[in-house]
Amino acid sequence: MPLNSLPRPQWLTFDCYGTLIQWDEGLQAAVARILAGKPPAHSAPTADAFLHAYDQHEHRLERTPPHRSFADISRESLRLTMQDFGLPYRPEDADMLIGSISAMPPFPEVVDTLATLKQAGFRLCIISNTDEGIIAGNVAQLGGHIDRVITAESAGAYKPSRKIFAHAHQSLGVTPDDIVHICASPHLDHAAARDIGFRCVWIDRGTGRQLLPDYRPDATVPTLDRVPGVFRSAGWL
């Protein structure tokens, strides 16, 4: 259903990493630093190969009970990935990786766009698969425009579980009809949008991530600064 036939949302919810914050770029830089500190090897993995293995471990651990903090999952994912490639693991490697996440900056257009949306009367919330101690460093770079932050730590669940979104909606005092979710991750966020029925805008930054075969977002834009134009066309700005 076109956005212009639907009511204006009270809240805009955002995925953080990859949507607002430069996740891929920051993670690649962190992995490059970790690999540079390892002994030379004939079959040293590329950063892309390393990250692919790391992502597989991370997503599997997020789905495996009992619930663990994102910091603990990051540590274990890194250890297992090092093991996969026959590389020595040190706890200091994980400390560096986790510390780098908090320091990852926003995409260039993000802060000004958040200001525009806030000035238009929307309330802004992040829903993220992370811990509050980690994401605080990222939120501090977003110009003070974020009203609420809902993490996997507070929800006790990771996306794409419905539980984290149900926790967010309950915490905000809204129904799915009262929000539009803005995200870059089809795998994590679109699955929940499909299953729960909330409206969703996909930020397709050209990373190669593919849509789910059985879901299409309500709108697709390449960068966050295109979202106000979508909302303007819907009569919301």
Side-chain angles (χ1 to χ4, degrees):
M1 185 178 296
L3 287 176
N4 61 7
S5 65
L6 297 168
R8 187 182 195 268
Q10 299 176 37
W11 283 86
L12 304 178
T13 57
F14 298 84
D15 174 45
C16 183
Y17 301 108
T19 302
L20 305 178
I21 296 295
Q22 298 184 49
W23 171 256
D24 290 340
E25 298 83 351
L27 204 58
Q28 286 169 356
V31 165
R33 288 197 299 274
I34 291 170
L35 294 178
K38 299 303 172 188
H42 294 298
S43 57
T46 64
D48 285 345
F50 191 94
L51 282 171
H52 178 74
Y54 174 87
D55 283 343
Q56 295 296 311
H57 287 303
E58 180 190 291
H59 293 318
R60 177 180 57 79
L61 291 170
E62 287 173 349
R63 296 191 302 267
T64 303
H67 180 82
R68 286 183 276 185
S69 72
F70 185 73
D72 286 348
I73 285 177
S74 297
R75 291 179 186 281
E76 181 64 2
S77 299
L78 184 62
R79 187 190 70 78
L80 290 170
T81 306
M82 295 286 207
Q83 180 178 286
D84 290 343
F85 290 103
L87 296 169
Y89 167 78
R90 302 177 307 152
E92 293 84 358
D93 296 325
D95 292 340
M96 193 275 287
L97 175 64
I98 294 165
S100 75
I101 295 173
S102 292
M104 290 176 184
F107 289 99
E109 83 282 4
V110 162
V111 175
D112 286 347
T113 305
L114 294 177
T116 297
L117 295 170
K118 189 74 175 290
Q119 289 162 8
F122 295 106
R123 302 190 71 188
L124 311 182
C125 173
I126 288 173
I127 304 175
S128 180
N129 273 2
T130 190
D131 301 338
E132 286 156 31
I134 292 175
I135 201 172
N138 308 113
V139 174
Q141 302 178 68
L142 296 178
H145 303 306
I146 300 298
D147 296 295
R148 293 286 300 276
V149 177
I150 308 292
T151 64
E153 180 182 21
S154 65
Y158 289 96
K159 302 181 217 174
S161 169
R162 294 187 185 194
K163 184 177 177 182
I164 186 171
F165 288 96
H167 173 74
H169 299 161
Q170 183 177 13
S171 299
L172 299 177
V174 298
T175 70
D177 291 338
D178 297 320
I179 67 164
V180 167
H181 187 61
I182 300 168
C183 64
S185 172
H187 170 69
L188 296 177
D189 294 75
H190 288 176
R194 176 195 63 200
D195 295 344
I196 298 171
F198 53 77
R199 293 169 284 173
C200 192
V201 174
W202 183 32
I203 310 298
D204 179 9
R205 293 188 180 274
T207 61
R209 292 178 174 87
Q210 299 296 312
L211 287 171
L212 301 179
D214 57 351
Y215 177 79
R216 290 293 178 274
D218 297 282
T220 299
V221 293
T223 50
L224 195 73
D225 54 359
R226 301 294 185 87
V227 170
V230 171
F231 288 179
R232 212 167 279 118
S233 297
W236 297 346
L237 266 72

